[in-house]
């Protein structure tokens, strides 16, 4: 058989095939052979460039990692639904591809040498100040990237940054524009204000049944009930299993004894130091020379604390002989801490360089802590053993739960076999209910799935945080329906009253404005509606409603001796009349530094506006295909 195989491999056909495979490997890599068997079409194509499913999956995974890290150590992964992340990730990939293409079309490039130097200079990839390949690859593995993936990512990020920075850096503000904007920003206005309250007229409005019926008939599609469901469910919890487990006293004692043997108390060190600062007055070589001279004096017999009082430039410790008190790990900068925790008691370090300057460190004592007493750890040790023993049972019951929910038409058999209580939710909609369970994305997805909602089956296992598994079954379904007139009569009456009252007060305010323009301010003032004067109001007038301030600064500046009027609608439906009588320049004068800061801020905003317009134009003119 082997001879037959050898003979066949000598044929010209086999040699051609092998040669083809070698060339394919050399030019395109292993992926190309997989592609020869049939490659699925990319879900997104941007101007002929594919965005594959792998890129989308990587983007979703990266987005999930970032969100979980921002949410903290107690983050619940079940809150992040891939379907919800997918849309945002796809749009981001499209935007980035359009911007990358635009950057390349404008001749922007990123050299391999630049990428190499950037990677080598990244502090997170260094050990003791030098690039470390193992550190580099370990950190990338933690975020699910290979070195080549990171290199491509860095290239694209740099390219996009070049395009963005080039556009942002080219934006500017002319001095005349800056002067005008600063004057407008500091402008002050004097005005009088009169308000027509909606509450004063709303109570007098009556809405009869005929009007309500007509409104209902014209707007019946607005009055629909929300779709709601309630569920029966069982919950399998590792913690619940653990709490039913009994731990023997001898087991706890043995665990405590192992804990004591392995216990390493948090070590703290009493230390002192001498600091010589590196700054504009003392450069690197001068500072190091001072430190070396201090070392000579100490070696010659000078006391460390005396030297610290005489030479140390740390104002917080010099007077106390350089004493830093008790130093725990994680408090000092890494270089200082590494040197301190490598010393023996009484030993003085070599010169240690940090961002502050050069240090000499003396270790005076080492302090440690004793292992806690058994009783203080009892409950913790007991729960650790319970959870450890519950792990196997939790896995076994999870598998059994999966089998039972699949073969059963409801949750009763699941409950009987696994002794799980059948619980019920209250009614809730697709947006979730009032508790954390009915708000969990995975729970909602299962609740409104075809299996549960349409077919009436038990759901698949729903894995939640804290090692909990839930299976749900439909209890009640209330589909969307048109609400009866009787259900919404009062709501319609309130809507009509609000609208009619709002229209009425605006009409009254407009009438007051017209009368004031013709007959003067005093002609419209009453005890119930007095004019209220406001002086030197700026754009940030916090005691006024935003609607009033916005309307006030939109009004034209009145001619000397005259008044400008405007009606403004308020958020509650009330209306106000503004009588603007004076506009003045603000008293604040900006110095050159403040003007430059304002100019940079405005230029930055203009640049961002240009950048958004560029992206919008790229989208409008691009050929984007979606499967």
């Amino acid at each position: 058989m082997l001879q037959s195989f050898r003979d066949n491999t000598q044929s010209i056909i086999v040699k051609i095939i092998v040669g083809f495979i070698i060339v394919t490997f050399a030019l395109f890599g292993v992926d190309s052979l997989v592609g020869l068997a049939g490659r699925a079409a990319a879900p997104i194509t941007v101007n002929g460039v594919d965005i594959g499913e792998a890129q989308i999956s990587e983007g979703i995974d990266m987005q999930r990692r970032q969100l979980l890290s921002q949410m903290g150590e107690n983050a619940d992964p079940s809150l992040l639904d891939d379907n919800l992340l997918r849309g945002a990730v796809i749009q981001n990939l499209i935007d980035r591809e359009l911007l990358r293409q635009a950057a390349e079309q404008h001749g922007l490039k990123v050299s391999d040498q630049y990428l190499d130097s950037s990677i080598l200079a990244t502090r997170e990839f260094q050990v003791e100040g030098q690039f470390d390949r193992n550190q580099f690859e370990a950190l990338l593995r933690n975020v699910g990237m290979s070195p080549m993936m990171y290199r491509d990512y860095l290239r694209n990020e740099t390219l996009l940054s070049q395009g963005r920075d080039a556009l942002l850096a080219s934006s500017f503000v002319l001095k005349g524009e800056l002067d005008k904007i600063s004057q407008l920003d500091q402008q002050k206005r004097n005005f009088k204000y009169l308000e027509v309250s909606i509450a004063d007229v709303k109570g007098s409005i009556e809405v009869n049944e005929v009007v309500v019926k007509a409104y209902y008939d014209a707007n019946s599609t607005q009055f629909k009930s929300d779709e709601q469901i309630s569920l029966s469910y069982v919950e399998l919890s590792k913690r619940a299993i653990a709490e039913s487990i009994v731990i023997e006293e001898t087991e706890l004692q043995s665990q405590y004894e192992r804990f004591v043997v392995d216990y390493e108390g948090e070590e703290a060190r009493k230390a002192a130091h001498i600091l010589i600062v590196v700054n504009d007055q003392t450069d690197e070589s001068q500072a190091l020379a001072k430190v070396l001279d201090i070392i000579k004096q100490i070696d010659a017999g000078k006391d460390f604390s005396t030297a610290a009082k005489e030479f140390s430039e740390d104002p917080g410790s010099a007077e106390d002989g350089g004493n830093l008190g008790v130093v725990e790990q994680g408090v000092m900068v890494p270089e200082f801490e590494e040197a301190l925790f490598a010393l023996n008691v009484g030993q003085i370090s070599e010169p240690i360089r940090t961002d502050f300057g050069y240090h000499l460190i003396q270790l005076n004592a080492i302090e440690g802590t004793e292992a806690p007493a058994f009783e203080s750890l009892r409950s913790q040790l007991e729960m650790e053993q319970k959870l450890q023993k519950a792990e196997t049972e939790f896995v076994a019951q999870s598998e059994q739960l999966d089998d039972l929910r699949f073969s059963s038409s409801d949750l009763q058999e699941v409950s009987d076999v696994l002794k799980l209580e059948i619980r019920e939710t209250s009614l809730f909609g697709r947006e979730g209910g009032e508790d954390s369970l009915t708000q969990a994305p995975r729970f909602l997805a299962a609740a409104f799935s075809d299996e549960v909602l349409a077919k009436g089956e038990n759901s698949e296992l729903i894995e939640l945080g804290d090692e909990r598994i839930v299976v749900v079954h439909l209890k009640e379904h209330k589909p969307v329906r048109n609400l009866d007139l009787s259900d919404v009569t009062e709501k319609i009456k309130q809507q009509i009253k609000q609208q009619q009252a709002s229209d009425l007060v605006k009409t009254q305010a407009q009438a007051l404005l017209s009368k004031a323009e013709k007959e003067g301010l005093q002609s419209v003032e009453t005890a119930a509606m007095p004019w209220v004067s406001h002086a030197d109001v700026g754009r940030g007038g916090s005691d006024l409603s935003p609607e009033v301030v916005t309307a006030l600064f939109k009004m034209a500046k009145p001619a000397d001796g005259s008044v400008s009027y405007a009606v403004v609608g308020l958020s509650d439906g009330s209306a106000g009349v503004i009588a603007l009588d004076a506009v003045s320049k603000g008293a604040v004068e900006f110095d050159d530094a403040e003007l430059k800061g304002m100019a940079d801020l405005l230029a930055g905003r203009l640049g961002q506006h240009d950048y958004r317009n560029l992206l919008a134009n790229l989208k409008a003119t691009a050929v984007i295909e979606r499967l």
Side-chain angles (χ1 to χ4, degrees):
M1 180 177 177
L2 291 175
Q3 182 61 40
S4 175
F5 176 80
R6 181 178 180 279
D7 293 341
N8 288 334
T9 60
Q10 304 306 310
S11 71
I12 187 64
I13 298 298
V14 171
K15 290 180 179 179
I16 291 173
I17 292 174
V18 171
F20 173 74
I21 291 174
I22 293 171
V23 171
T24 305
F25 262 84
L27 294 179
F28 305 109
V30 179
D31 289 344
S32 60
L33 292 181
V34 179
L36 291 174
R39 177 175 296 168
I44 310 290
T45 303
V46 181
N47 291 332
V49 177
D50 291 343
I51 295 178
E53 190 61 46
Q55 288 175 270
I56 297 172
S57 297
E58 289 168 7
I60 291 173
D61 186 55
M62 187 174 294
Q63 183 70 30
R64 188 191 302 108
R65 289 171 183 266
Q66 291 174 351
L67 290 172
L68 287 174
S69 67
Q70 293 169 9
M71 292 163 66
E73 59 182 12
N74 296 321
D76 182 358
S78 68
L79 296 176
L80 301 178
D81 190 323
D82 285 358
N83 291 328
L84 296 177
L85 297 177
R86 184 179 178 87
V89 167
I90 286 176
Q91 189 56 60
N92 182 53
L93 288 171
I94 292 173
D95 292 350
R96 290 170 61 85
E97 178 57 30
L98 288 170
L99 292 167
R100 185 195 66 78
Q101 292 176 16
E104 288 188 344
Q105 288 169 5
H106 286 87
L108 300 179
K109 295 183 182 297
V110 180
S111 68
D112 291 338
Q113 292 85 350
Y114 177 84
L115 293 176
D116 291 339
S117 58
S118 294
I119 292 172
L120 293 174
T122 302
R123 289 190 61 181
E124 287 75 13
F125 301 151
Q126 296 178 355
V127 174
E128 296 182 353
Q130 297 293 322
F131 175 78
D132 184 273
R133 181 80 183 183
N134 293 329
Q135 173 82 350
F136 172 61
E137 293 179 350
L139 286 176
L140 293 185
R141 281 195 300 272
N142 288 339
V143 295
M145 297 180 77
S146 68
M148 289 305 298
M149 287 170 61
Y150 178 74
R151 193 177 181 85
D152 289 341
Y153 172 79
L154 182 60
R155 185 187 300 276
N156 284 331
E157 282 295 309
T158 306
L159 192 64
L160 293 180
S161 296
Q162 285 181 346
R164 180 178 62 250
D165 294 346
L167 194 59
L168 295 179
S170 66
S171 297
F172 60 90
V173 179
L174 297 174
K175 186 177 186 308
E177 294 176 313
L178 183 60
D179 292 341
K180 188 67 174 177
I181 290 171
S182 62
Q183 289 172 14
L184 290 173
D185 181 70
Q186 291 298 307
Q187 191 182 85
K188 305 294 182 184
R189 296 194 166 204
N190 297 345
F191 70 102
K192 293 181 176 59
Y193 177 71
L194 178 150
E195 186 169 302
V196 184
S197 174
I198 195 172
D200 295 339
V201 299
K202 193 173 181 179
S204 63
I205 295 175
E206 295 294 334
V207 181
N208 61 45
E209 302 301 324
V210 175
V211 174
V212 171
K213 179 67 165 61
Y215 188 93
Y216 175 80
D217 291 341
N219 302 278
S220 59
T221 56
Q222 295 181 11
F223 304 110
K224 292 182 179 292
S225 67
D226 293 330
E227 180 185 22
Q228 289 188 311
I229 63 173
S230 64
L231 302 171
S232 301
Y233 70 96
V234 293
E235 179 180 319
L236 180 65
S237 166
K238 180 179 174 181
R239 184 163 287 274
I241 295 173
E243 289 174 352
S244 67
I245 296 174
V246 177
I247 305 298
E248 298 292 335
E249 186 71 17
T250 53
E251 293 181 273
L252 290 178
Q253 290 289 350
S254 298
Q255 185 181 3
Y256 176 72
E257 290 170 4
R258 290 193 299 272
F259 171 81
V260 171
V261 170
D262 297 336
Y263 179 78
E264 293 183 4
E266 293 231 355
E267 189 179 271
R269 300 199 161 202
K270 288 186 176 180
H273 83 137
I274 297 171
L275 170 65
I276 302 300
V277 175
V278 175
N279 53 26
D280 294 339
Q281 288 75 41
T282 305
D283 63 23
E284 186 93 14
S285 59
Q286 291 172 330
L288 181 58
K290 286 185 179 180
V291 171
L292 294 176
D293 183 62
I294 294 170
I295 291 174
K296 288 181 180 179
Q297 295 186 45
I298 292 174
D299 289 343
K302 194 163 194 170
D303 182 64
F304 188 92
S305 62
T306 302
K309 290 178 181 178
E310 184 176 346
F311 301 115
S312 181
E313 297 173 358
D314 176 11
S317 66
E319 289 297 319
D320 194 22
N323 182 31
L324 295 172
V326 177
V327 178
E328 297 180 348
Q329 287 185 329
V331 175
M332 297 296 188
V333 295
E335 303 90 345
F336 188 101
E337 191 172 283
E338 183 180 347
L340 172 61
F341 281 83
L343 295 175
N344 297 318
V345 175
Q347 188 178 2
I348 299 173
S349 72
E350 297 294 322
I352 305 300
R353 180 68 163 94
T354 71
D355 291 340
F356 304 101
Y358 281 98
H359 304 258
L360 290 179
I361 308 169
Q362 183 181 54
L363 176 60
N364 295 324
I366 298 176
E367 294 186 351
T369 55
E370 296 182 356
F374 172 73
E375 287 303 323
S376 67
L377 289 177
R378 183 188 185 89
S379 59
Q380 176 185 334
L381 296 174
E382 185 176 18
M383 182 51 67
E384 286 178 1
Q385 283 210 39
K386 285 184 173 185
L387 288 172
Q388 186 176 356
K389 292 187 175 184
E391 178 65 32
T392 302
E393 183 64 22
F394 179 69
V395 172
Q397 288 194 29
S398 299
E399 294 174 353
Q400 193 175 7
L401 174 60
D402 196 22
D403 292 338
L404 289 170
R405 68 92 198 162
F406 179 76
S407 61
S408 304
S409 59
D410 56 26
L411 297 176
Q412 192 58 54
E413 184 180 2
V414 175
S415 174
D416 293 342
V417 173
L418 294 178
K419 307 300 183 207
L420 298 175
E421 178 188 357
I422 298 178
R423 304 173 185 173
E424 295 179 354
T425 70
S426 56
L427 287 165
F428 62 92
R430 290 182 180 270
E431 300 301 317
E434 296 180 352
D435 56 67
S436 60
L437 177 63
T438 54
Q439 291 174 357
R442 290 184 181 178
F443 186 90
L444 286 172
F448 286 93
S449 65
D450 285 345
E451 288 75 15
V452 174
L453 193 58
K455 300 177 182 178
E457 299 174 354
N458 294 327
S459 72
E460 295 186 352
L461 301 187
I462 306 168
E463 297 185 18
L464 303 176
D466 302 326
E467 296 178 297
R468 298 161 60 209
I469 295 175
V470 171
V471 175
V472 303
H473 189 87
L474 182 66
K475 178 175 179 286
E476 183 180 4
H477 179 212
K478 289 187 174 183
V480 175
R481 66 178 180 85
N482 288 331
L483 295 171
D484 296 332
L485 175 60
S486 59
D487 295 329
V488 294
T489 295
E490 190 56 37
K491 179 180 180 180
I492 291 175
K493 282 185 177 180
Q494 293 303 317
Q495 288 181 349
I496 293 174
K497 278 187 176 184
Q498 178 70 19
Q499 186 59 55
Q500 289 183 354
S502 180
D503 292 342
L504 182 56
V505 297
K506 287 178 182 176
T507 301
Q508 291 179 359
Q510 193 63 50
L512 291 171
L513 182 153
S514 300
K515 186 175 182 180
E517 286 181 325
K518 294 176 182 178
E519 303 176 22
L521 295 174
Q522 302 306 318
S523 65
V524 299
E525 185 175 40
T526 65
M529 286 193 304
W531 288 103
V532 179
S533 297
H534 297 271
D536 294 331
V537 174
R539 295 177 184 272
S542 58
D543 58 333
L544 297 169
S545 68
E547 299 92 348
V548 172
V549 176
T550 300
L552 174 66
F553 280 90
K554 285 183 177 180
M555 295 173 67
K557 178 180 178 180
D560 292 340
S562 64
V563 178
S564 294
Y565 292 94
V567 170
V568 57
L570 305 180
S571 58
D572 67 348
S574 299
V577 181
I578 300 174
L580 174 62
D581 51 30
V583 176
S584 62
K585 180 182 176 182
V588 177
E589 293 288 342
F590 294 108
D591 59 29
D592 291 342
E594 289 172 325
L595 286 173
K596 184 180 184 307
M598 187 180 294
D600 292 342
L601 175 64
L602 293 172
R605 288 183 178 178
L606 289 174
Q608 291 170 2
H609 181 71
D610 292 341
Y611 192 66
R612 287 193 295 269
N613 286 343
L614 169 65
L615 181 57
N617 183 63
L618 292 173
K619 287 181 181 178
T621 57
V623 177
I624 301 174
E625 300 176 6
R626 301 172 187 253
L627 287 183

